[in-house]
Amino acid sequence: KLISDVKDFYQVYGQIMEKICHLTSSTIGALTVYDKNLNMLFGKGSGYVNRDLHGDVDIEHTFVFQLTPETAASKAVEMRDIVVINDASSEPRILKRFVEYYKVDRVVVVPLFVESELFGVIYLGRFLGYPEYQQEEVEIIRILIPYLTSILRLLKYQEDSMRKLKALLFVKTISEDILSETNLYKILDVARDYILELLKFEDLAFLSIEGYEYKVIYSHNFHLSQLEALVDGSGCIKRLLSSANESEEFTFECLEGETAEKMGYKSLLAAPVKLDHKPSFILILGSKIRGPLNKGDSEFLKVVLNSIGVALKNLSLYQKSLETLDKVIEMLSQLESKKDYFTASHSKEVAEFALKISKELMLPEEEMKNIYVAGLLHDLGKVVVERAVLLKKSALNDDEWKEIKSHPC
């Protein structure tokens, strides 16, 4: 009934906790979800709180902590069974700040597994001075666990499906955002924002590949000495480039163990950015918190790096087209000057004066460039006017004036 028409998953999680708390006479309850990469439990939904007793306490944003060996949750997960603590204030496995903040001294910790994987942990509590949890109440929770895991499995499936749909739409947005830029550093800025936000890495860098040399062209939080040590002291970059050259498949190199530890990272990896099927740049990511990439993370990174590759290819073509256009403009300007040697440098001087004025006016760079080009080409109409007419020393007749007026540019 709770999940027949799911519109807000957080609301459903809150309803589940409310039902369980009423069945077990608990005055407060929280459902936490386990993040394997971070080895952390995060509060999910609003939970249930008897506000008359506990006051205006927060569940979702406060119930966040690591699953370390000294916690009651770790013990429950290890035993794969419920842990009951009827004297929370003196129990070392219960964090004292939680006891004081939530005003509880009776606590039940319930591990939840979905398809043999830890899904999360339910915490139930009773206000200070309330009766202890009895064995029959614990048995009620045990009876509920199979139903709970079934509900959570279905919720997880529906939530994952919605997340995948959102991810597909999001991937489209990412690609469009990256491809819309026509400046190398702006492309890398956009990629950085998405990678750090969604993959939860703190440090990022891009290296360019120039022959057998690597040059740091972009760094966020990495120290230059760290990157130099990584390139010089580890064979990972060479291995990465070797595998990237041999295969069309997306690949990345995890730098776990000694290399990562020396640099102070829990997770460290390198991935190539390909241009025309060849590695042209290398992305370096580092985190002191999160663990290795999962399959979904790898797919997301692949999309971002492919988008960067396409954007860089477009940027290269765009720059070549600008160079070609500049040459055409220069050629047309010279052609016009050759037609009328009395004003041979006139268009160039007009363009330079116009550019100086636009700089004084602090106009946008693109507008200044357009003004300069307009100055170079403002007399382009001379190219199609007879030279004899242009260079005539005496007054023009009616037909000659008509020819001049028909080419005002």
Side-chain angles (χ1 to χ4, degrees):
K1 184 179 177 182
L2 285 172
I3 59 176
S4 59
D5 186 22
V6 174
K7 291 182 180 176
D8 185 341
F9 287 103
Y10 284 87
Q11 185 181 2
V12 176
Y13 289 123
Q15 289 174 336
I16 289 171
M17 288 314 306
E18 183 178 352
K19 299 285 185 186
I20 294 172
C21 286
H22 287 162
L23 283 169
T24 59
S25 300
S26 300
T27 59
I28 191 168
L31 170 65
T32 62
V33 174
Y34 179 60
D35 187 314
K36 188 176 181 180
N37 286 323
L38 300 177
N39 191 34
M40 293 187 74
L41 291 166
F42 292 90
K44 191 85 167 178
S46 58
Y48 170 77
V49 181
N50 183 327
R51 306 243 173 235
D52 292 337
L53 297 173
H54 298 275
D56 192 24
V57 293
D58 175 74
I59 295 288
E60 185 175 358
H61 300 102
T62 306
F63 237 91
V64 177
F65 54 90
Q66 282 201 298
L67 190 63
T68 50
E70 66 272 11
T71 61
S74 181
K75 181 181 178 182
V77 170
E78 183 182 347
M79 295 169 52
R80 299 180 80 91
D81 198 5
I82 299 169
V83 170
V84 180
I85 298 166
N86 277 315
D87 187 8
S89 58
S90 61
E91 170 56 55
R93 288 180 178 270
I94 297 291
L95 297 173
K96 297 299 170 284
R97 62 188 175 93
F98 282 101
V99 172
E100 293 168 3
Y101 179 70
Y102 291 112
K103 301 182 181 67
V104 294
D105 56 5
R106 321 294 185 205
V107 177
V108 174
V109 183
V110 185
L112 298 172
F113 294 87
V114 173
E115 296 171 357
S116 299
E117 292 285 329
L118 179 63
F119 176 88
V121 175
I122 284 178
Y123 290 84
L124 300 173
R126 286 178 179 168
F127 190 68
L128 295 170
Y130 269 53
E132 296 182 354
Y133 283 101
Q134 302 299 315
Q135 188 59 39
E136 55 267 27
E137 292 171 319
V138 176
E139 288 304 316
I140 290 174
I141 299 171
R142 278 205 178 90
I143 292 168
L144 286 173
I145 286 176
Y147 297 98
L148 280 173
T149 53
S150 296
I151 291 171
L152 293 172
R153 184 185 292 111
L154 184 54
L155 274 173
K156 186 174 185 298
Y157 173 77
Q158 288 186 261
E159 197 169 6
D160 286 348
S161 298
M162 287 191 180
R163 190 183 294 115
K164 285 176 182 176
L165 177 59
K166 288 180 180 177
L168 287 172
L169 296 172
F170 192 51
V171 161
K172 182 174 179 288
T173 302
I174 293 169
S175 299
E176 288 173 349
D177 285 352
I178 292 174
L179 292 171
S180 67
E181 298 296 343
T182 54
N183 174 282
L184 172 62
Y185 295 102
K186 287 183 179 179
I187 290 170
L188 299 183
D189 277 341
V190 174
R192 175 204 65 197
D193 291 343
Y194 279 120
I195 291 171
L196 297 185
E197 173 65 25
L198 295 175
L199 295 184
K200 305 300 181 186
F201 280 87
E202 305 93 66
D203 301 350
L204 171 149
F206 283 96
L207 314 181
S208 65
I209 304 169
E210 299 173 5
Y212 295 100
E213 299 293 323
Y214 310 105
K215 181 182 177 183
V216 179
I217 61 165
Y218 190 100
S219 178
H220 177 83
N221 289 341
F222 271 116
H223 294 296
L224 184 59
S225 58
Q226 287 179 305
L227 297 169
E228 288 173 344
L230 182 62
V231 171
D232 297 336
S234 168
C236 68
I237 303 296
K238 290 181 180 178
R239 287 196 304 272
L240 175 68
L241 293 179
S242 176
S243 60
N245 278 317
E246 291 171 4
S247 172
E248 289 293 319
E249 295 296 319
F250 172 70
T251 182
F252 61 89
E253 185 84 14
C254 289
L255 315 174
E256 311 298 341
E258 190 175 342
T259 303
E261 287 173 12
K262 278 184 180 179
M263 295 178 68
Y265 289 102
K266 184 176 178 182
S267 182
L268 189 64
L269 66 86
V273 179
K274 290 187 176 183
L275 192 59
D276 291 331
H277 307 290
K278 293 181 180 179
S280 297
F281 297 88
I282 298 169
L283 167 69
I284 308 290
L285 291 174
S287 175
K288 297 175 182 177
I289 301 172
R290 69 153 294 156
L293 297 184
N294 59 33
K295 186 177 179 181
D297 294 336
S298 301
E299 288 299 317
F300 169 75
L301 186 59
K302 177 181 176 181
V303 167
V304 173
L305 295 185
N306 284 343
S307 296
I308 294 173
V310 174
L312 293 176
K313 176 68 175 176
N314 290 347
L315 179 60
S316 175
L317 294 172
Y318 175 69
Q319 289 172 338
K320 286 178 181 177
S321 69
L322 288 181
E323 289 169 8
T324 302
L325 180 60
D326 287 342
K327 289 177 182 177
V328 170
I329 290 169
E330 185 180 351
M331 182 185 71
L332 289 171
S333 178
Q334 289 173 356
L335 187 63
E336 174 254 305
S337 298
K338 286 176 182 177
K339 197 74 179 281
D340 183 358
Y341 50 79
F342 286 111
T343 57
S345 60
H346 167 71
S347 292
K348 180 80 170 172
E349 289 171 352
V350 167
E352 288 176 352
F353 277 121
L355 182 61
K356 287 178 181 178
I357 293 169
S358 64
K359 284 180 179 177
E360 286 294 318
L361 293 172
M362 292 185 289
L363 297 178
E365 186 176 341
E366 188 66 26
E367 193 171 344
M368 286 195 290
K369 185 171 182 179
N370 290 338
I371 287 170
Y372 181 78
V373 170
L376 287 176
L377 301 181
H378 80 278
D379 269 344
L380 188 60
K382 287 182 178 180
V383 173
V384 289
V385 175
E386 286 293 332
R387 193 172 187 187
V389 175
L390 287 175
L391 302 180
K392 187 177 179 181
K393 294 180 181 180
S394 58
L396 301 178
N397 60 39
D398 290 342
D399 290 336
E400 289 166 342
W401 267 119
K402 283 180 183 178
E403 184 174 355
I404 290 287
K405 290 176 181 179
S406 65
H407 303 289
C409 179

